[in-house]
Amino acid sequence: VAASPTTGAVTVSVSQNTNCRMGPSQEFKDVYALLVGQTAEVVGKNTIDNYWIIKIPDGSGKTCWLWGRYATVS
């Protein structure tokens, strides 16, 4: 069971399993998939293309680009 962030960080979850990519389009390689029920910390947003930049929730500190269609930010 993952602990909830206590830093007041902005987090995102998805309503449908969503690939997370190296950049803001399907042309970029998948590097992670955020699954329903998981949350990830948001570090940025690309409003034009509707992508969120998130921290991959594996402790690596790496980031990826998550398409915003199925995302809910809290």
Side-chain angles (χ1 to χ4, degrees), residues 27-50:
E27 295 171 17
F28 289 90
K29 182 181 166 205
D30 295 352
V31 292
Y32 188 77
L34 192 65
L35 306 178
V36 172
Q38 284 186 304
T39 59
E41 184 179 341
V42 173
V43 295
K45 179 165 199 256
N46 178 327
T47 308
I48 295 166
D49 296 321
N50 191 25

Side-chain angles (χ1 to χ4, degrees), residues 5-64:
T6 55
T7 58
V10 176
T11 60
V12 65
S13 59
V14 290
S15 61
Q16 186 169 319
N17 295 348
T18 305
N19 288 332
C20 202
R21 301 176 180 274
M22 298 285 296
S25 83
Q26 288 189 334
E27 295 171 17
F28 289 90
K29 182 181 166 205
D30 295 352
V31 292
Y32 188 77
L34 192 65
L35 306 178
V36 172
Q38 284 186 304
T39 59
E41 184 179 341
V42 173
V43 295
K45 179 165 199 256
N46 178 327
T47 308
I48 295 166
D49 296 321
N50 191 25
Y51 275 83
W52 295 93
I53 305 166
I54 65 165
K55 249 187 218 177
I56 297 174
D58 63 2
S60 67
K62 294 179 181 173
T63 60
C64 61

